[in-house]
Amino acid sequence: MSTLHTVNKSPFERSAFISALNHLKPGDAVLMIEDGVVGARKASAFADLLAMAAESCSVYVLGPDLAARGMGENDVIEGAKLVDYGGFVDLVTTHRQTQAWL
Amino acid sequence: MADVKAAEIDSGVRKKLMFVNRKAPYGTIYALEALEVVLISAAFEQDVSLAFLDDGVYQLMRGQNTAGIGMKNFSPTYRALGDYDVTKLYVEKESLEERGLKSADLMEITYEDEDANFAEKSSVRIVSRSELTDIMAQQDVLLNF
């Protein structure tokens, strides 16, 4: 009975990312999309926080949004997995509910 | 000399305009809108400069590929700014560092310096937060995006 949390705002600009991490239960998934993908960047000020969440939850990043901002698989924290739009749909269907942190 | 001065006055007021970019591209329309106004300002022969701080530094990322999100990749336009005499792109060092970014992650943006035998020079100037603060204080107008 897990939840998919989506984050579409940069953690440097809004508190949505932090709120999402503060409301995770073990086994939940976090998917970073749109400007939210910058929060997955390796060595950023939020990297350690996200890495900690990744120990008990799955962390996903939407690949097309990452590519649009000049980044790829090697630029995100270890443990974060890239998904495409099809993968996004799969995540929605395999979790009981979706919480969109706008 | 007197003639030059008269010509300067005839051409109208030339102000120092700085465009302050603080948002990542594509998630919102701000970055693209700023670029549009920068080009218009340059056409009116203003002293235009750009500042990239906070998430604005992401606008200059190298290798942007928007094919997957169905939006126009406008990043090549930054490289054309030199042709419009827009040659001062200030990037805040601390903003890069907080985001785990280095200057090598940014596009190469150059201009041809007319006063130096058209030598190719970098338009991107990495400056510290306090340096940027001083540069902002020297402007006539700050436009925020």
Side-chain angles (χ1 to χ4, degrees):
Chain A
M1 291 298 113
S2 61
T3 298
L4 171 68
H5 302 260
T6 63
V7 179
N8 75 336
K9 299 292 190 303
S10 162
F12 293 96
E13 200 166 2
R14 305 277 188 92
S15 58
F17 172 84
I18 297 290
S19 285
L21 296 192
N22 285 341
H23 294 83
L24 288 180
K25 285 174 79 71
D28 280 357
V30 186
L31 169 62
M32 326 214 10
I33 62 172
E34 302 170 19
D35 282 347
V37 300
V38 309
R41 174 85 194 192
K42 200 186 271 182
S44 89
F46 293 91
D48 288 348
L49 218 53
L50 188 60
M52 219 184 323
E55 286 171 16
S56 59
C57 298
S58 314
V59 175
Y60 300 94
V61 188
L62 195 64
D65 279 326
L66 209 53
R69 289 155 187 84
M71 294 183 280
E73 208 169 357
N74 298 328
D75 298 312
V76 297
I77 65 151
E78 220 166 288
K81 293 183 266 303
L82 261 61
V83 291
D84 57 11
Y85 288 101
F88 187 166
V89 175
D90 289 341
L91 285 172
V92 171
T93 59
T94 53
H95 290 79
R96 196 180 65 81
Q97 58 173 348
T98 300
Q99 163 70 24
W101 297 89
L102 299 179
Chain B
M1 276 304 278
D3 287 345
V4 172
K5 211 161 195 188
E8 276 173 5
I9 293 162
D10 285 345
S11 71
V13 183
R14 186 173 155 90
K15 289 195 171 187
K16 285 171 79 72
L17 306 185
M18 173 173 262
F19 292 83
V20 181
N21 296 285
R22 297 186 43 251
K23 291 184 167 59
Y26 310 115
T28 59
I29 198 74
Y30 289 97
L32 177 58
E33 290 290 316
L35 204 44
E36 303 267 13
V37 190
V38 164
L39 293 172
I40 294 165
S41 307
F44 281 94
E45 297 185 349
Q46 298 300 302
D47 181 359
V48 175
S49 62
L50 286 77
F52 296 89
L53 61 155
D54 300 337
D55 281 343
V57 298
Y58 273 107
Q59 295 177 24
L60 300 183
M61 287 292 280
R62 184 190 289 272
Q64 297 176 34
N65 178 356
T66 58
I69 60 169
M71 291 175 79
K72 184 181 160 65
N73 176 4
F74 55 83
S75 67
T77 312
Y78 295 103
R79 297 210 308 269
L81 289 177
D83 297 337
Y84 297 86
D85 286 330
V86 176
T87 60
K88 290 169 287 199
L89 278 62
Y90 300 101
V91 179
E92 191 183 85
K93 189 169 169 278
E94 287 86 343
S95 293
L96 286 175
E97 288 168 357
E98 285 162 8
R99 286 160 184 78
L101 302 176
K102 298 186 180 68
S103 59
D105 291 313
L106 306 180
M107 294 183 278
E108 273 168 41
I109 303 173
T110 58
Y111 71 101
E112 291 178 348
D113 189 350
E114 290 173 31
D115 301 326
N117 206 18
F118 295 95
E120 210 163 274
K121 295 186 177 174
S122 178
S123 299
V124 177
R125 306 164 192 206
I126 311 284
V127 294
S128 70
R129 189 162 281 164
S130 74
E131 285 171 322
L132 185 60
T133 305
D134 290 342
I135 296 163
M136 290 171 84
Q138 292 158 10
Q139 303 299 315
D140 293 314
V141 185
L142 293 164
L143 297 117
N144 288 273
F145 292 88

Short mmCIF file of all heavy atoms in Angstrom, two decimals, chain A residues 3 9 28 30 35 37 51 60 73 76 82 88 93-94:
data_model
loop_
_atom_site.label_atom_id
_atom_site.label_comp_id
_atom_site.label_asym_id
_atom_site.label_seq_id
_atom_site.Cartn_x
_atom_site.Cartn_y
_atom_site.Cartn_z
N THR A 3 2.82 4.72 -1.65
CA THR A 3 2.44 5.96 -2.34
C THR A 3 3.56 6.42 -3.27
O THR A 3 4.74 6.31 -2.93
CB THR A 3 2.17 7.06 -1.28
OG1 THR A 3 1.08 6.65 -0.45
CG2 THR A 3 1.84 8.40 -1.94
N LYS A 9 8.90 20.94 -8.43
CA LYS A 9 9.54 22.24 -8.20
C LYS A 9 10.96 22.04 -7.67
O LYS A 9 11.23 21.10 -6.93
CB LYS A 9 8.74 23.06 -7.17
CG LYS A 9 7.31 23.38 -7.59
CD LYS A 9 7.25 24.33 -8.76
CE LYS A 9 5.85 24.84 -9.03
NZ LYS A 9 4.85 23.77 -9.27
N ASP A 28 7.75 3.74 -0.05
CA ASP A 28 7.18 4.71 -0.98
C ASP A 28 8.17 5.01 -2.11
O ASP A 28 9.35 4.65 -2.01
CB ASP A 28 6.85 6.04 -0.26
CG ASP A 28 5.55 5.97 0.52
OD1 ASP A 28 4.88 4.93 0.46
OD2 ASP A 28 5.21 6.97 1.21
N VAL A 30 9.59 8.21 -4.78
CA VAL A 30 9.62 9.64 -5.10
C VAL A 30 10.01 9.76 -6.57
O VAL A 30 10.99 9.14 -7.00
CB VAL A 30 10.68 10.40 -4.26
CG1 VAL A 30 10.58 11.90 -4.52
CG2 VAL A 30 10.50 10.10 -2.79
N ASP A 35 11.04 21.02 -13.13
CA ASP A 35 12.16 21.67 -12.44
C ASP A 35 12.60 20.89 -11.20
O ASP A 35 13.68 21.15 -10.65
CB ASP A 35 11.80 23.10 -12.03
CG ASP A 35 11.87 24.08 -13.19
OD1 ASP A 35 12.43 23.71 -14.24
OD2 ASP A 35 11.37 25.22 -13.06
N VAL A 37 13.74 18.03 -11.09
CA VAL A 37 14.90 17.16 -11.36
C VAL A 37 16.22 17.76 -10.84
O VAL A 37 17.16 17.02 -10.58
CB VAL A 37 15.05 16.82 -12.87
CG1 VAL A 37 13.82 16.08 -13.39
CG2 VAL A 37 15.34 18.06 -13.71
N ALA A 51 19.70 11.16 -0.77
CA ALA A 51 20.38 9.86 -0.65
C ALA A 51 19.88 9.12 0.59
O ALA A 51 19.72 7.90 0.59
CB ALA A 51 21.89 10.06 -0.59
N TYR A 60 13.14 8.10 -8.25
CA TYR A 60 13.14 8.11 -9.71
C TYR A 60 13.24 9.55 -10.22
O TYR A 60 12.78 10.48 -9.58
CB TYR A 60 11.84 7.49 -10.25
CG TYR A 60 11.63 6.06 -9.83
CD1 TYR A 60 10.87 5.75 -8.70
CD2 TYR A 60 12.19 5.01 -10.56
CE1 TYR A 60 10.68 4.43 -8.30
CE2 TYR A 60 12.00 3.68 -10.17
CZ TYR A 60 11.25 3.40 -9.04
OH TYR A 60 11.06 2.10 -8.65
N GLU A 73 22.07 10.39 -16.74
CA GLU A 73 22.18 9.36 -15.71
C GLU A 73 23.34 9.58 -14.74
O GLU A 73 23.21 9.36 -13.54
CB GLU A 73 22.36 8.02 -16.43
CG GLU A 73 21.85 6.82 -15.68
CD GLU A 73 21.82 5.59 -16.58
OE1 GLU A 73 22.15 5.71 -17.79
OE2 GLU A 73 21.47 4.52 -16.08
N VAL A 76 23.11 12.35 -11.58
CA VAL A 76 22.20 12.29 -10.42
C VAL A 76 22.79 11.45 -9.30
O VAL A 76 23.77 10.71 -9.52
CB VAL A 76 20.81 11.73 -10.83
CG1 VAL A 76 20.14 12.66 -11.83
CG2 VAL A 76 20.91 10.32 -11.37
N LEU A 82 16.51 6.46 -13.58
CA LEU A 82 15.86 7.27 -14.61
C LEU A 82 14.66 6.52 -15.19
O LEU A 82 14.74 5.32 -15.43
CB LEU A 82 16.85 7.59 -15.74
CG LEU A 82 17.50 8.97 -15.67
CD1 LEU A 82 18.31 9.10 -14.40
CD2 LEU A 82 18.37 9.21 -16.89
N PHE A 88 6.86 6.50 -15.97
CA PHE A 88 6.04 7.37 -15.11
C PHE A 88 4.65 6.73 -14.95
O PHE A 88 4.16 6.55 -13.82
CB PHE A 88 5.95 8.75 -15.79
CG PHE A 88 5.29 9.85 -14.98
CD1 PHE A 88 5.44 11.18 -15.39
CD2 PHE A 88 4.54 9.60 -13.83
CE1 PHE A 88 4.86 12.22 -14.67
CE2 PHE A 88 3.95 10.64 -13.11
CZ PHE A 88 4.10 11.94 -13.53
N THR A 93 0.60 3.34 -11.87
CA THR A 93 -0.29 2.18 -11.80
C THR A 93 0.15 1.16 -10.75
O THR A 93 -0.66 0.38 -10.26
CB THR A 93 -0.38 1.46 -13.16
OG1 THR A 93 0.93 1.04 -13.55
CG2 THR A 93 -0.97 2.36 -14.23
N THR A 94 1.43 1.17 -10.37
CA THR A 94 1.91 0.18 -9.40
C THR A 94 1.89 0.69 -7.96
O THR A 94 2.31 -0.03 -7.06
CB THR A 94 3.34 -0.30 -9.75
OG1 THR A 94 4.19 0.83 -9.88
CG2 THR A 94 3.34 -1.10 -11.05
#
